[in-house]
């Protein structure tokens, strides 16, 4: 099993990313239905089969911190408006909050080994303020 980690450029919060689920694929005319969330990227992951076979997710880095993940459902080859090949990453609409984990900026995506992925936040731990506390503990190296 393997995962992807990707910067969520231009998004400042988990809630803002949630708000894009319904409109993002429509920006470029893709129509995969309303039950998915789509992210378009330039290249098809070379380890795509491994991502799909193991139940991989995209871990989103928002404002320098991994804050959530989305299970990857499939990849779809596509062509952008300029006629260039690209890849649509089709994900579950479900966004799972993770324990906040600081991550330095990088370009593109990176593969993420399960042992290095932050754990999901417990359901009851998603109360207001708990994410801030968890982020501070992670920053201090205590999580």
């Amino acid at each position: 099993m393997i995962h992807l980690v990707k910067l969520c450029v231009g998004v400042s919060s988990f809630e803002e990313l949630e708000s894009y689920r319904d409109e993002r694929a429509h920006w470029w005319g893709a129509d995969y239905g309303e039950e998915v969330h789509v992210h378009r990227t330039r290249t098809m992951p070379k380890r795509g089969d491994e991502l799909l076979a193991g139940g991989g997710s995209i871990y989103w880095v928002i404002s320098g911190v991994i804050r959530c993940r989305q299970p990857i459902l499939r990849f779809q080859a596509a062509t952008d408006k300029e006629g260039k090949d690209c890849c649509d990453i089709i994900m579950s609409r479900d966004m799972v909050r993770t324990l906040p984990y600081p991550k330095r900026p990088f370009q593109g995506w990176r593969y993420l080994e399960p042992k290095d992925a932050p754990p999901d936040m417990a359901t009851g731990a998603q109360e207001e303020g708990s994410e801030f506390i968890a982020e501070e503990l992670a920053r201090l190296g205590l999580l």
Side-chain angles (χ1 to χ4, degrees), residues 22-111:
D22 295 329
E23 60 186 73
R24 190 163 189 151
H26 304 292
W27 291 349
W28 54 79
D31 186 11
Y32 298 106
E34 299 300 318
E35 299 303 313
V36 296
H37 182 202
V38 181
H39 176 74
R40 180 163 280 180
T41 187
R42 280 189 259 164
T43 58
M44 184 78 68
K46 288 181 172 51
R47 298 174 72 180
D49 290 342
E50 191 177 347
L51 283 157
L52 296 177
S57 290
I58 289 187
Y59 283 76
W60 291 108
V61 179
I62 301 171
S63 299
V65 177
I66 296 175
R67 297 187 187 278
C68 63
R69 67 178 180 84
Q70 282 183 276
I72 298 170
L73 302 175
R74 66 186 185 277
F75 300 102
Q76 179 67 48
T79 305
D80 67 15
K81 291 179 187 177
E82 297 167 359
K84 295 180 184 174
D85 290 339
C86 56
C87 172
D88 287 347
I89 302 173
I90 301 160
M91 302 164 285
S92 168
R93 286 180 53 81
D94 299 331
M95 294 178 145
V96 180
R97 286 184 187 258
T98 63
L99 285 177
Y101 186 81
K103 187 76 174 164
R104 293 183 185 266
F106 57 91
Q107 288 190 341
W109 69 66
R110 297 289 183 265
Y111 292 105

